[in-house]
Amino acid sequence: MKAARLYDYDPAMNVELKIEDVPPPTITAPDEVVVKVGAAGLCRTDLHIIEGVWKDIMDTQGTLLPYVMGHENAGWVEDVGSAVTSVKPGDAVICHPFQSCGICLNCRYGHDMYCDHGTFPGLGIDGGFAEYFKTSESSLIKLNTGITPLSVAPMADAGITAYRAAKKAARLSYPGSWTVLLGIGGLGHIALQCLKHISGGRVIAVDREPAAQKLAKDLGADVVLDGGPDLIEQVKDITGGGAHVVIDFVGELGVENICWKLLRQGGELIMVGYGGKIEIPTLDLVANEIKIGGSLVGDYIELVELMELNADGKVMMHQTEYKLANINQAIDDFKNRRFTGRGVIVP
């Protein structure tokens, strides 16, 4: 099969994935499933993998490369292990990105992403930038009738990461409250749609790119700002003292030290983007009684919920399609923000 493999880490990202012929994955355990890839989302985490940011976590022994990235996958079941009963060859599925064991205490509590024994296709083992990839039965969700793998693949990570953060924000929102979204890209535009359907509060969308600003307006943001040097003053003026919730989908490039300043007293910052370092005087933290916390990718049930919102036409993915052979162009376009929303790789 054709696959795009990473051979080197490079902080400057002056490397390209190599399109190669490699053996397709085969079933080696009773609960495994081979999926024929219909589409695979291109994530900012993929850029960070190439940069080597994840090396100490996913490649501790330095023996992983070359390998196949791609952790936002959807397609059709190709083959199943002997114990698999919930899906069969030909079924259209989306794949939760994390293969959890199902039996550790974290799994029993429903916290898939905290699994003590989980594996992550695309991060640490071969993923979906290929014609086929292997996952587990417990990671699969059948697609609703009329939903294609191409239309939802990035929901497998970008979608549920945004949805999880939006759910946290919705619990803190009420009619008249304000939530600020920083970055209306692959995650931010999904969070915006989610908030409009699960929260009664108002939403301010912030992005420097005109295309992203237009997308935010089209998706129903109450206010759209360009993130200029007077952003803090703008937000405080519009909200009457600061946002009740801020979700930072950027997390670097200086944004991580602006985001918390957008909050009112008692407000909460939800960090989703990463790469930078938050610096906040403890006096500001205490005197304003603000809260700062991270938000990881969503769990299996959150992907089920998001798929229902998608099937009802309430949350849709805005994306740009690339063939697998052109994956390096997709990566370059993503790095240089030449498209809005999400990039999707199609074999």
Side-chain angles (χ1 to χ4, degrees), residues 162-174 177-181 195 198-199 244-247 268 270:
Y163 177 58
R164 184 181 183 90
K167 281 181 68 176
K168 291 179 179 180
R171 288 193 289 267
L172 303 168
S173 303
Y174 50 84
S177 66
W178 291 93
T179 295
V180 173
L181 304 182
L195 281 170
I198 65 176
S199 165
H244 299 79
V245 188
V246 172
I247 307 178
E268 183 161 334
I270 301 170

Side-chain angles (χ1 to χ4, degrees), residues 41 43 45-46 70-74 93-100 112-113 115 118-128 133-136 138-141 152-161 296-304 306-307 342:
C43 178
T45 292
D46 293 316
H71 58 275
E72 299 180 341
N73 304 304
V93 294
I94 188 168
C95 312
H96 188 276
F98 198 61
Q99 296 178 176
S100 56
D112 312 43
M113 293 307 300
C115 175
T119 56
F120 210 130
L123 282 85
I125 60 175
D126 285 343
F133 93 108
K134 185 166 66 173
T135 186
S136 61
S138 62
S139 299
L140 300 182
I141 297 169
V152 297
M155 296 282 192
D157 178 41
I160 51 173
T161 298
L296 192 60
V297 63
D299 60 32
Y300 181 90
I301 293 301
E302 286 168 330
L303 183 53
V304 171
L306 182 60
M307 287 297 95
R342 206 62 161 178

Side-chain angles (χ1 to χ4, degrees), residues 10-84:
D10 181 10
M13 289 191 65
N14 292 322
V15 296
E16 292 192 343
L17 306 187
K18 294 183 179 180
I19 309 296
E20 300 178 320
D21 287 307
V22 300
T26 57
I27 299 295
T28 57
D31 67 334
E32 290 180 341
V33 177
V34 173
V35 175
K36 181 179 181 181
V37 178
L42 179 62
C43 178
R44 182 161 293 278
T45 292
D46 293 316
L47 304 189
H48 289 315
I49 290 171
I50 295 171
E51 292 171 326
V53 172
W54 283 83
K55 181 178 182 297
D56 291 341
I57 297 174
M58 69 180 210
D59 190 11
T60 55
Q61 304 300 316
T63 57
L64 175 63
L65 304 184
Y67 98 110
V68 182
M69 299 192 307
H71 58 275
E72 299 180 341
N73 304 304
W76 300 271
V77 174
E78 180 73 10
D79 194 13
V80 299
S82 59
V84 174

Side-chain angles (χ1 to χ4, degrees), residues 280-289:
I280 177 171
T282 52
L283 177 60
D284 287 275
L285 193 68
V286 173
N288 291 310
E289 205 173 32

